[in-house]
Amino acid sequence: METTSVDLGFLEPCEPWLLTNKFFRSKVGGKPAWLELKSLPKPDDLLCGQCSEPLGFLCQVYAPVEDKDNSFHRTLYLFVCLKAACNQSPDSEARTIKVLRSQLPRRNEFYAYDPPDESTESPAVKSPVPLCVVCGCRGPKLCSRCKSINYCSASHQRLDWKATHKAMCSEEGITTASTTTASSSILFPEFEIITEAEEYEPKAKLSEEENMKRQMAELERLKQEGKAGALDDLPEAELDKYSADQVEDKTFDKFKERISADPEQVLRYDRGGKPLWLSPIVPKHIPACERCTGPRVFEFQIMPQMLNSLNHDQLDWGTLVCYTCEASCDVQGYTEEFIYRQDVLNTDTAKQ
């Protein structure tokens, strides 16, 4: 077995207080553990480009860049649309998935210079910005009646009103305590993402002669089954090109073989490396960073196995591939990076 440059991410149950911002952990689900606490994304920045509804928080990846002082703390946040229509038929021009980057130097105004004590429960560092009670994002809207609860949008306010707030709201403020919340209907189950180095033993590559023998054997099988059709008349050099409709795609075979040793992986992290594609349909161009105009590089991808833990059957993807600014340029608050959704074979919905 060989250790590769890839770190694999797996889901583990974790005490919720350890997944708050001050402990700098990667996680799936719950509410975002915001890193920079003053310049949070505006609600309009987190709307689906197709249906204009608030995106749901999927996960965050804590990924400091060791050789850069400005990125001692660095977290990437991934948001997805929760509507089935936007996941099944995403518009090529609409951004139904978004990824944000935030980073801080070690000495900053929010967190202690040294790591916190993880042996004793302690609260998160509170943001001075009001947060939506439903999703945990910036909440500039205030309940006009009780003036005690904040929301990011009218849709989340309506959701909370029906779920619990109607029974506890009055002009005098909150009248009753409630343990229920509308959040349970839109938040994913919360897990920590732990990582470990990938160990992989590549299979020996077949020689050109062995490849040709395999292709000819496959063609002979198709002939016997009466499925060869026009392939029977093609020269050998063209067989490989036209056999894709009859046999599994080589790219997908490679994808399955690579993850077979660690089938529970939900994340592959390899900043500056290469993604593991499951289809030949890949982005033709990765846009430059809008802030510094420098190139973006691959950083991580979310694997389809993550879907199994979300309890949300309206979501679907093959893999979500994230590219970020190679220089991890300075940002005040949060900036959007590039995310590419690649779907399974025989679809035309691999979109940004």
Side-chain angles (χ1 to χ4, degrees):
M1 299 290 284
E2 300 177 8
T3 299
T4 75
S5 61
V6 179
D7 285 328
L8 302 180
F10 302 90
L11 299 184
E12 287 280 347
C14 183
E15 291 290 339
W17 63 271
L18 282 169
L19 297 178
T20 57
N21 54 9
K22 67 189 289 184
F23 294 103
F24 309 112
R25 298 193 179 192
S26 300
K27 69 163 189 154
V28 168
K31 296 177 180 180
W34 297 113
L35 181 64
E36 202 278 349
L37 298 176
K38 287 184 176 179
S39 302
L40 298 184
K42 297 177 181 178
D44 286 350
D45 296 332
L46 292 175
L47 296 180
C48 174
Q50 187 159 311
C51 69
S52 298
E53 286 294 305
L55 296 172
F57 171 66
L58 177 64
C59 65
Q60 62 189 70
V61 179
Y62 182 66
V65 181
E66 294 181 356
D67 60 346
K68 295 183 180 295
D69 293 339
N70 69 344
S71 307
F72 184 87
H73 296 298
R74 181 173 174 272
T75 304
L76 299 161
Y77 299 81
L78 189 54
F79 294 83
V80 298
C81 186
L82 304 178
K83 291 187 174 294
C86 294
N87 282 278
Q88 293 170 0
S89 302
D91 186 318
S92 61
E93 299 301 322
R95 291 175 297 170
T96 61
I97 305 170
K98 295 183 180 180
V99 62
L100 304 179
R101 169 171 59 93
S102 183
Q103 60 197 42
L104 294 169
R106 183 172 184 178
R107 198 172 298 280
N108 61 78
E109 61 180 301
F110 305 112
Y111 307 101
Y113 186 82
D114 295 318
D117 180 7
E118 297 189 4
S119 64
T120 305
E121 182 172 350
S122 59
V125 180
K126 188 176 180 180
S127 171
V129 177
L131 302 179
C132 175
V133 69
V134 176
C135 68
C137 295
R138 180 188 281 267
K141 296 182 179 295
L142 194 65
C143 175
S144 60
R145 189 180 185 192
C146 69
K147 296 180 174 56
S148 301
I149 300 294
N150 288 81
Y151 301 98
C152 67
S153 61
S155 62
H156 281 189
Q157 184 171 7
R158 289 192 296 269
L159 192 66
D160 191 48
W161 180 260
K162 293 178 182 178
T164 182
H165 192 59
K166 181 178 180 180
M168 46 192 293
C169 179
S170 75
E171 294 181 358
E172 289 74 37
I174 301 296
T175 57
T176 58
S178 175
T179 57
T180 61
T181 173
S183 296
S184 59
S185 65
I186 66 165
L187 299 186
F188 299 123
E190 194 172 40
F191 298 92
E192 182 181 6
I193 302 176
I194 61 168
T195 59
E196 59 184 52
E198 180 188 45
E199 292 187 348
Y200 172 66
E201 185 173 2
K203 291 184 177 179
K205 292 184 178 180
L206 297 178
S207 67
E208 185 174 343
E209 182 181 352
E210 289 171 323
N211 267 323
M212 183 59 69
K213 287 181 179 178
R214 174 180 285 187
Q215 292 166 16
M216 295 306 296
E218 178 63 19
L219 177 61
E220 188 62 33
R221 182 185 68 79
L222 293 172
K223 284 181 182 179
Q224 294 175 2
E225 296 177 2
K227 298 178 182 179
L231 293 177
D232 196 18
D233 301 322
L234 289 174
E236 292 181 359
E238 295 292 312
L239 288 176
D240 189 48
K241 184 187 302 182
Y242 289 94
S243 63
D245 292 337
Q246 305 292 340
V247 297
E248 280 192 298
D249 182 83
K250 289 182 178 179
T251 309
F252 191 48
D253 283 344
K254 181 180 178 181
F255 181 90
K256 292 192 299 182
E257 192 271 329
R258 184 66 179 262
I259 68 173
S260 61
D262 299 287
E264 300 302 315
Q265 60 184 274
V266 300
L267 170 79
R268 295 180 66 86
Y269 185 92
D270 187 15
R271 189 167 196 265
K274 295 181 179 180
L276 179 62
W277 298 113
L278 54 75
S279 161
I281 304 172
V282 300
K284 296 179 180 179
H285 171 69
I286 305 302
C289 175
E290 288 81 4
R291 296 183 63 84
C292 71
T293 70
R296 283 192 171 104
V297 295
F298 169 68
E299 182 144 354
F300 70 85
Q301 67 188 105
I302 300 299
M303 304 297 282
Q305 288 83 344
M306 185 179 287
L307 291 165
N308 298 331
S309 69
L310 300 180
N311 298 334
H312 201 293
D313 56 11
Q314 293 182 337
L315 291 178
D316 188 29
W317 63 70
T319 184
L320 306 178
V321 185
C322 177
Y323 294 83
T324 60
C325 175
E326 184 177 37
S328 199
C329 62
D330 286 333
V331 53
Q332 298 299 317
Y334 295 78
T335 189
E336 189 170 351
E337 295 286 9
F338 181 76
I339 189 85
Y340 182 82
R341 167 181 163 173
Q342 187 185 60
D343 289 324
V344 294
L345 296 173
N346 302 320
T347 70
D348 59 357
T349 56
K351 306 287 173 68
Q352 176 183 345

